[in-house]
Amino acid sequence: MTDDPDVLVLGGGSGGYACAIRAAQLGLSVVVVEADKLGGTCLHRGCIPTKALVHAAEVADTVRASERFGVLGDLAGIDPARVQAYKRGVVGKLHRGLQSLIASHGIQVVIGHGRYLGERRVDVAGQTLRARRGVVLATGSQTRELPHTPVGGRIVTSDDLLELEEIPARAVVLGGGVIGVEFASVLASFGTEVTVIEALPRLLAAEDDWSSKQLTRAFRKRGITTMTSTKMVATTQSGDTVVVSLDNGEKIETSLLLVAVGRRPRTAGAGFTEAGLELDRGYVAVDSLLRTNHEGVWAVGDLVRGPQLAHRSFQHGLYVAEQIAGHDPVQLDELDIPRVTYTQPEVASVGLTEHQAREKHGAISTFEYELAGNGKSQILGTAGGVKLIRIQDGPVVGIHMVGHRISELIGEAQLIVNWEASPDEVAALVHAHPTQAEALGEAHLALAGRPLHAHH
């Protein structure tokens, strides 16, 4: 093993392995230190396994609704063991592919708990490695727990729920953010009676208010109960039941309590504080170039305050690798990173919310196009819509979408926002018919003042 590589990456998750691959492509020697498995949270406990469950849930919904489409079929039930086998198969195949990709670039992987020592050094099981050109901290995040709600038994985190061995009759989901609503959607599709409790006034509080209302309405139609502006004050677990006490005096009996109150940066035991790294309320403090207060040391991904998204971590990793190699990469603008919540229906967005746009730009205009007017959406049987936000007489600065499979439109949406396109420019593009992408075209036509299939 090389004790003094050009680049030393602490963490082999999304940001870490992306940085390692790009650095190797640029001719640098790289060592990755990973405490568990290459791929990190995203591949093993986050994006991939969660979305495998989301797809299994979608299949269940499709079978359940098959007669609506003239296809006769019955949903005999959900086999958790087979769902898990399917999920693990997907994760396993991608994990093997990643290991092969890392090896093909000549990147050395050290399995063990790494501890940052300062001066571009990392300790692994008593062996000290030192980077010649840069250390990249990429230890990611972990589930956030509540101090007065011990996890165990029928009280679980998202990590635990990914290993679901039985379908609970009832579930309370504490937290109406991305993680909470995604698992609420999956459980409901599997036949669980679900209640979501959120302390803030609405679900997905980081999204546009319009998107939150669309999702809440869809959840209500699916039989998912949402209780916003509500806090949990106590829990009691006895046998197969958890009693959840709320601040409004109500008590709910449930088979399962999912604590989904977000994730926190994984810094414990990593030596950051002891080595003198500056922290920002638990996150590693960085400048606009992702540099820490230690020369030659960068931090990426969920360690850095901002949206906890795997694709953000990938981009962080690439951006830092380019810097270490002496290049001058385009600086990141995190406001325009696309976001997707994989509920049924999906929620996708890029750019500013209406509130943010009014605060930043003052005069704006908006348009909402309902999917009821879109042919493909009617074929799929989905409600929802597209909301556009533009600066008055200027470019589109925010796109918000809700609907089945609507995440497939986020690619075009991010190009529109990031290239600062005007509604007239997008209206001139031809969108294939019948596709849901037409909804984006129709919305831009309307915002440009020449609607076709929309009332304006």
Side-chain angles (χ1 to χ4, degrees):
M1 180 177 66
T2 304
D3 291 344
D4 58 343
D6 294 320
V7 182
L8 185 54
V9 182
L10 186 55
S14 304
Y17 82 71
C19 181
I21 290 173
R22 185 60 184 141
Q25 289 172 341
L26 294 171
L28 304 178
S29 59
V30 184
V31 170
V32 174
V33 178
E34 168 56 49
D36 191 5
K37 297 177 182 177
L38 279 177
T41 293
C42 175
L43 179 53
H44 300 284
R45 295 175 299 282
C47 315
I48 299 303
T50 303
K51 276 54 183 184
L53 294 186
V54 166
H55 182 61
E58 181 184 3
V59 172
D61 287 333
T62 301
V63 175
R64 191 179 286 116
S66 63
E67 290 190 13
R68 173 185 172 189
F69 304 101
V71 179
L72 304 183
D74 294 308
L75 182 63
I78 307 295
D79 184 340
R82 291 188 181 184
V83 172
Q84 289 295 334
Y86 154 68
K87 181 205 74 178
R88 289 169 186 146
V90 172
V91 171
K93 184 174 182 179
L94 290 172
H95 183 220
R96 291 189 295 274
L98 177 59
Q99 289 175 306
S100 175
L101 182 63
I102 290 290
S104 72
H105 285 288
I107 298 166
Q108 296 184 55
V109 178
V110 179
I111 300 298
H113 182 79
R115 183 178 176 84
Y116 175 64
L117 303 174
E119 298 180 342
R120 300 199 305 276
R121 296 174 300 142
V122 170
D123 172 81
V124 187
Q127 180 177 4
T128 299
L129 310 178
R130 189 179 191 280
R132 288 193 292 264
R133 301 183 65 163
V135 168
V136 182
L137 307 176
T139 52
S141 62
Q142 61 193 65
T143 55
R144 188 184 299 274
E145 298 181 12
L146 298 174
H148 305 299
T149 307
V151 171
R154 295 280 172 168
I155 302 177
V156 302
T157 67
S158 58
D159 286 356
D160 303 316
L161 198 54
L162 280 173
E163 304 303 320
L164 186 70
E165 294 181 351
E166 63 178 32
I167 307 300
R170 300 179 306 281
V172 169
V173 177
L174 183 62
V178 173
I179 297 171
V181 296
E182 285 188 353
F183 275 107
S185 183
V186 167
L187 287 169
S189 295
F190 285 166
T192 301
E193 180 184 317
V194 180
T195 299
V196 180
I197 299 170
E198 170 55 53
L200 295 175
R202 58 189 176 90
L203 302 180
L204 297 180
E207 293 292 345
D208 191 86
D209 182 63
W210 172 86
S211 299
S212 297
K213 289 177 180 176
Q214 293 275 333
L215 182 63
T216 301
R217 186 180 304 122
F219 270 16
R220 187 182 307 120
K221 289 181 178 179
R222 294 183 58 196
I224 300 172
T225 301
T226 59
M227 303 177 70
T228 53
S229 300
T230 304
K231 295 181 180 180
M232 183 186 75
V233 294
T235 59
T236 304
Q237 186 171 183
S238 177
D240 293 338
T241 302
V242 179
V243 178
V244 180
S245 301
L246 307 177
D247 61 353
N248 60 9
E250 187 175 345
K251 293 186 177 182
I252 303 175
E253 286 193 8
T254 184
S255 313
L256 187 79
L257 172 61
L258 170 62
V259 179
V261 290
R263 299 181 64 84
R264 59 185 177 86
R266 192 188 300 274
T267 57
F272 296 167
T273 303
E274 296 84 346
L277 274 178
E278 182 183 347
L279 299 184
D280 173 17
R281 287 177 287 177
Y283 295 87
V284 176
V286 296
D287 64 11
S288 61
L289 301 180
L290 300 176
R291 298 176 300 192
T292 71
N293 62 314
H294 286 194
E295 184 178 355
V297 180
W298 288 257
V300 301
D302 289 357
L303 278 182
V304 178
R305 182 175 295 280
Q308 294 176 325
L309 301 166
H311 45 284
R312 170 182 180 253
S313 299
F314 290 141
Q315 200 64 29
H316 276 185
L318 300 176
Y319 181 64
V320 167
E322 295 269 346
Q323 289 183 61
I324 295 174
H327 293 250
D328 185 21
V330 176
Q331 196 161 349
L332 299 171
D333 184 350
E334 298 205 341
L335 280 175
D336 295 333
I337 294 176
R339 307 173 295 274
V340 180
T341 302
Y342 293 89
T343 43
Q344 182 59 282
E346 294 176 338
V347 179
S349 63
V350 61
L352 302 176
T353 65
E354 182 175 343
H355 176 72
Q356 290 169 333
R358 291 191 188 282
E359 281 195 332
K360 185 174 183 179
H361 299 291
I364 63 168
S365 55
T366 68
F367 183 76
E368 298 168 14
Y369 176 81
E370 293 187 9
L371 293 184
N374 177 262
K376 186 61 178 288
S377 297
Q378 290 307 298
I379 291 169
L380 294 173
T382 183
V386 174
K387 177 178 178 177
L388 303 182
I389 302 164
R390 74 176 297 191
I391 301 173
Q392 193 68 45
D393 300 321
V396 175
V397 294
I399 299 179
H400 305 271
M401 305 178 288
V402 178
H404 183 46
R405 301 185 186 176
I406 209 74
S407 62
E408 299 304 323
L409 305 186
I410 198 64
E412 180 180 355
Q414 77 154 329
L415 293 179
I416 292 168
V417 171
N418 280 276
W419 286 347
E420 300 181 338
S422 71
D424 295 274
E425 290 171 322
V426 181
L429 301 175
V430 179
H431 292 82
H433 175 76
T435 64
Q436 287 191 292
E438 287 180 283
L440 268 179
E442 292 281 358
H444 282 85
L445 277 167
L447 201 53
R450 39 197 175 99
L452 180 61
H453 294 100
H455 298 286
H456 189 53

